[in-house]
Structures are given as structure tokens and as C-alpha cells.
Amino acid sequence: MTEPSVLEIARERVLKAGAGLEEAEILEVLRLGDEMVPDALELAHEVRMRWCGPEVEVEGIVSIKTGGCPEDCHFCSQSGRFETPVRAVRLDIPSLVKAARETARTGATEFCLVAAVRGPDARLMAQVKEAVRAIHDAVEINVACSLGILTPDQAAELADLGVHRYNHNLETARSYFPQVATTHTWEERLRTLELVREHGMEVCCGGIIGMGESLVQRAEFAAQLSALEPDEVPLNFLDPRPGTPFADLSPVSASDALRAIAAFRLALPRTVLRFAGGRELTLGDLGTRQGVLGGINAMIVGNYLTTLGRDPQQDLDLLEELSMPVRALSETF
Ligand code: SF4
């Protein structure tokens, strides 16, 4: 008798039982031949429909402090250590409320305040508090935050404010992280995620594919995320930014990006798997369709932090055409 293929194993275990693939199996998916990619995506889509349903969660993000970060994440144009075209700016509270209102108008249920910092200082925490209160008073939308490494007190403060979800990416496999950043560790990032969970906020944790990691490390990363059981995983593809140490890396090929989407869904059958930055570069307009038919069930609409995204209406039109409703706010409160 021949051994079952990894997709046959996934059909039994992931689709029928809702349990994710193991690391070695994830690697097999990442190594599938091009001719098997459509089958992998189709299965990933079935898994997403079975365990998450047809809704797509839509989120907007806004940068409350851009650029000038003291850390050295090699992919990031917001690091103050590299010569990049990103200018350091801060947004005021009325502008943040306006951005939240515009995001809510697209049907989005999440609005994430992002700051390019190692972790928030007292001034940033005060600004965030004011912003979260002002947005909650004026707009019906869940507020999420992404403010870097937290202390236990800061995690408690954000939870008390009603912050619904906290984003902090592990970015890549534990074994590859020292090639990506040297000013802080993977373990420090993990500790913040543990604090987020301890304080009752939803955990949003993903990373970037295509930073020079091997396929073995890509599988390791998916397995490490699966062990963390995050509520949401934003999946980015490296968009090599001028001036950063990763500026000369080649973007991930479309077929590798699609293999990664299928593999991450089969590793994380129940999580919100969000298309984040780099999808336009890697997959083009067609790729958004392939992604949401291949396991993705959430997207960021509009612009990313330092790069432009697509017109939100293009994404919303696509979801309507595919009969995938935008997840309603009442379900997420
Ligand atoms: S990824 Fe975050 S912590 Fe790292 S340099 Fe960029 S803004 Fe700073």
C-alpha cells in the first residue's frame, strides 16, 4: 500500500478534525510541485470554509507614529538606523478619529493603531489612551493596537481601555530571528504575546515570508505560530524597501506565496488568516482572488504603514462577487 500524500493526510486531520498539520507535514506542503498548488489551495479553502465560515474580516490600520524606531528589524523602513525615505510623523487625535470613521464606512470591524517603537513610552501610552477613548466615543469599531514590546502594567492598561486585540508579530522562525533583528529577541516578542493573552486581549501574531529564511524555517515558523494559537495571523510577503538591509532580496515568487498561504491555513485551521502587506507585489491583482479562495479569510483594506495598498472598493467588490460577506461588527463584539 502506498503512503498517503500530505494533502490526503490534511483532508483527514485538518478538514475533518480541525487539527493543524505538524511541522514536517507543513514543510511537505511548502515543497509541493507547481502542479499540486491548485489542489493545496482548494483544500485550504475547504478548511477555511469548514472551520471559519465564509465571512471575511476587514481591518484598517493607521500609523500613529511613523519612522524613527530605535530597533533594527532588517525589513523595516521605519527603523531610524537605516537611510530610508520614511519620515518621522505623528498623527493627532482628530485625524485618528477621522481615519477610524472612514475605515468603518468600508464595513471594516477592526481599526488598528500602530506605532513604530520598541515599546510605548509614557507619552505614547497617554496618546493611545486618548485616541482609543475618542474613537470608542465616535465610531462603532473594535480598536486594536500594535505598539511593540509591552510591560505587564502597559498590557493591563490597554486591556482596561477596552483594546480588543493586540498585534505583535514574531516575524519569522525562532531559529532565523537573529538574522532579522539584533536589538531585541524573539523571546521578548513572545513574552509580550503571553502578557496580551494573560490580560484577556485577543492575540494577533504573524510575520513576513521571504526574508531569506529556508523552507525548513518557514515550516518551523508556521508550527511555532500554531503552538501559540493566535486569534489572528497577518501574513506578509517581503516588499524589499530601499535603504533596508533586505533591500536587495527578491520578492517571493507567486507560486511560493500561494504554497505558503495553503501551508499556513493547513497549519492553523481555525485562525483568522489575514492578507497583509506585500500581496500586491507578490501576487498582483489576481493573487487576492487566489488567496481568498485558498485559505485567507481577512484582509487589510487601503494603505499599509509605509506602502500603498489597493483601492478598498476593489477588494470589497471581489468579496461580493465571491459571495463572501464582510464579517459584521456585532459578531466581533
Ligand atoms: S518592525 Fe517595529 S520594532 Fe522593528 S524597526 Fe520596524 S517599527 Fe521598529
Side-chain angles (χ1 to χ4, degrees):
M1 219 173 80
T2 53
E3 293 279 310
S5 73
V6 70
L7 294 186
E8 285 164 345
I9 293 170
R11 187 163 285 284
E12 282 305 308
R13 189 175 340 127
V14 188
L15 182 61
K16 292 197 182 152
L21 289 183
E22 306 284 333
E23 187 171 332
E25 295 157 346
I26 299 167
L27 181 58
E28 275 191 67
V29 176
L30 292 171
R31 286 178 169 160
L32 284 174
D34 283 351
E35 71 290 354
M36 296 305 295
V37 171
D39 289 355
L41 289 169
E42 196 180 312
L43 179 58
H45 181 57
E46 282 182 66
V47 167
R48 167 266 173 123
M49 294 300 263
R50 167 92 192 261
W51 295 103
C52 303
E55 294 88 9
V56 173
E57 192 186 272
V58 174
E59 177 187 49
I61 58 178
V62 71
S63 175
I64 54 172
K65 191 244 157 198
T66 307
C69 178
E71 302 304 292
D72 75 343
C73 306
H74 292 9
F75 56 86
C76 183
S77 57
Q78 303 208 60
S79 168
R81 294 169 184 255
F82 318 135
E83 291 294 321
T84 74
V86 172
R87 286 181 309 121
V89 283
R90 282 177 189 260
L91 276 190
D92 56 37
I93 304 295
S95 305
L96 294 173
V97 172
K98 181 164 173 268
R101 195 173 280 123
E102 283 167 7
T103 300
R105 262 191 222 123
T106 67
T109 52
E110 295 279 332
F111 184 66
C112 187
L113 304 175
V114 184
V117 288
R118 175 187 170 86
D121 58 13
R123 180 172 164 220
L124 182 63
M125 281 300 286
Q127 190 195 10
V128 166
K129 274 189 201 169
E130 202 186 332
V132 173
R133 289 198 182 110
I135 293 167
H136 277 156
D137 284 349
V139 189
E140 281 211 11
I141 198 158
N142 289 317
V143 180
C145 286
S146 180
L147 312 172
I149 295 169
L150 296 177
T151 65
D153 286 350
Q154 288 170 335
E157 279 179 64
L158 293 174
D160 286 349
L161 261 182
V163 169
H164 166 251
R165 191 179 285 174
Y166 193 84
N167 163 261
H168 197 47
N169 289 341
L170 288 170
E171 304 298 8
T172 192
R174 188 179 208 143
S175 69
Y176 191 64
F177 193 85
Q179 317 302 315
V180 172
T182 64
T183 49
H184 59 273
T185 62
W186 195 90
E187 289 72 16
E188 283 176 279
R189 286 183 173 248
L190 184 65
R191 177 66 193 131
T192 286
L193 294 162
E194 288 164 356
L195 285 173
V196 167
R197 176 159 292 146
E198 280 165 26
H199 287 280
M201 290 179 281
E202 288 190 5
V203 173
C204 170
C205 175
I208 305 178
I209 304 294
M211 296 196 288
E213 77 282 7
S214 65
L215 290 185
V216 170
Q217 286 164 324
R218 212 171 279 176
E220 177 197 332
F221 180 42
Q224 286 162 343
L225 285 177
S226 168
L228 179 69
E229 296 183 23
D231 299 283
E232 174 188 338
V233 171
L235 201 56
N236 299 271
F237 297 98
L238 182 73
D239 183 351
R241 305 313 299 156
T244 64
F246 287 166
D248 295 331
L249 287 181
S250 303
V252 173
S253 72
S255 57
D256 274 352
L258 294 173
R259 269 185 277 268
I261 291 169
F264 276 65
R265 170 53 75 200
L266 296 176
L268 296 145
R270 299 161 191 262
T271 197
V272 173
L273 189 59
R274 187 180 301 279
F275 245 152
R279 72 179 146 127
E280 294 82 3
L281 176 77
T282 314
L283 294 166
D285 280 355
L286 246 192
T288 303
R289 177 185 294 267
Q290 286 172 304
V292 291
L293 289 172
I296 294 285
N297 67 332
M299 53 174 67
I300 291 176
V301 288
N303 296 333
Y304 307 118
L305 297 173
T306 59
T307 55
L308 295 178
R310 309 200 311 160
D311 174 358
Q313 198 54 48
Q314 268 182 290
D315 288 330
L316 299 173
D317 289 348
L318 175 66
L319 298 183
E320 193 176 330
E321 181 200 325
L322 298 175
S323 303
M324 292 182 186
V326 172
R327 189 196 276 189
L329 188 65
S330 56
E331 292 173 42
T332 59
F333 266 125

